[in-house]
């Protein structure tokens, strides 16, 4: 497995923290998906990737449970497992996946420029993004929530309680857009882990993004924080790919549906996010 991009400061801090804790997450024990050799239509993205024998996947490097680099610098998490499943169906082994760090703000540009073949990065499917890229999936449905200090000293039960209060989120995310309806006092960082220190110091009263990202951060920093548990948006996670590459989108949707049926989706969940969260029912893919 290859990893590109310089690690962000928060990812480096995290590697140090994980090294000290001697803990790298549960995905290491997961079995690699079986690599398959299928015949794809000549000229298709699938045929090109199969022929190249390698794929570049954009994912998060600093989000526990979904995409986070371990002590060896290899990303682990549910999004990473989805990437391995897709690669295997293209005849590409884990060793031939290049993982590139994508942050919330650069996902569409990285797909548009061809810097990555796909993005699997807690990436909400929405119409604005569909203007410039296409999505397979959804393969999971999250909802935006709030992370507060343990014991919830400000008594925040939902976004309505944030009027006039400072909140931290990440630029380029749907979380940033959605929270603007409730408060104008928003600090937008490069990654959600960068929001934890402002929450600790009281510079903000809450961190906001998808509930499952917040659950991972709360778990990793237990017992400092808690998730309010009152999701106020729908965030269907999709796999971003080049706009209008319909054959590739159909192929990935087929891989997802197959993984729902043969149990590999549930297994991927249980080995990653499932360490902290219950196993959900997989959502129906949307062949829009
Ligand atoms: N799912 C949301 C989004 O795609 C928030 C999480 C993230 O920034 O990755 O913007």
């Amino acid at each position: 497995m290859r990893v590109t991009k310089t690690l962000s400061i928060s990812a480096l801090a995290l590697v140090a923290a994980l090294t000290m804790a001697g803990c790298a997450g549960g995905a290491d024990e997961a079995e690699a998906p079986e690599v398959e050799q299928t015949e794809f239509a000549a000229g298709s993205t699938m045929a090109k990737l199969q022929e190249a024998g390698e794929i570049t996947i954009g994912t998060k490097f600093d989000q526990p449970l979904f995409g986070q680099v371990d002590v060896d610098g290899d990303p682990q998490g549910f999004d990473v497992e989805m990437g391995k499943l897709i690669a295997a169906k293209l005849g590409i082994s884990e060793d031939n996946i290049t993982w590139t760090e994508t942050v919330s703000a650069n996902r569409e540009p990285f797909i548009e420029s061809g810097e990555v073949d796909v993005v699997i990065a807690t990436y909400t499917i929405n119409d604005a993004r569909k203007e410039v890229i296409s999505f397979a999936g959804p393969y999971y449905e999250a909802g935006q929530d709030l992370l507060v200090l343990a014991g919830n000293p400000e008594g925040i039960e939902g976004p309505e309680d944030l009027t006039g209060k400072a909140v931290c989120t990440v630029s380029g995310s749907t979380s940033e857009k959605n929270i603007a309806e409730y408060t104008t006092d928003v600090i937008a960082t490069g990654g959600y882990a960068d929001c934890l220190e402002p929450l600790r110091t009281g510079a903000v009263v809450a961190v906001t993004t998808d509930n499952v990202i917040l659950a991972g951060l709360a778990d990793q920093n237990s017992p400092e924080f808690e998730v309010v548990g009152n999701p106020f948006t729908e965030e269907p996670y999709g796999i971003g790919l080049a706009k209008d590459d319909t054959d590739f989108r159909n192929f990935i949707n087929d891989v997802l549906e197959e993984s729902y049926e043969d149990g590999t989706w549930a297994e991927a969940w249980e080995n990653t996010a499932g360490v902290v969260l219950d196993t959900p029912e997989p959502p129906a893919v949307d062949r829009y």
Side-chain angles (χ1 to χ4, degrees), residues 60 104 107 121-124 129 173-175 192 209-210 213:
K60 297 291 183 84
S104 300
R107 292 173 292 196
T122 60
Y123 199 8
T124 296
R129 290 171 177 167
S173 64
T174 53
S175 322
Y192 298 103
T209 188
D210 302 339
I213 299 173

Side-chain angles (χ1 to χ4, degrees), residues 128-191:
R129 290 171 177 167
K130 277 189 201 163
E131 302 260 309
V132 286
I133 61 145
S134 291
F135 283 104
Y139 61 93
Y140 181 70
E141 272 166 359
Q144 188 169 344
D145 211 321
L146 303 168
L147 184 79
V148 295
L149 290 175
N152 197 355
E154 300 273 336
I156 292 161
E157 300 302 336
E160 299 78 13
D161 297 332
L162 294 172
T163 315
K165 297 196 171 162
V167 179
C168 188
T169 190
V170 164
S171 53
S173 64
T174 53
S175 322
E176 181 190 30
K177 256 201 163 55
N178 298 332
I179 205 63
E181 278 180 43
Y182 300 95
T183 177
T184 52
D185 197 352
V186 177
I187 299 177
T189 63

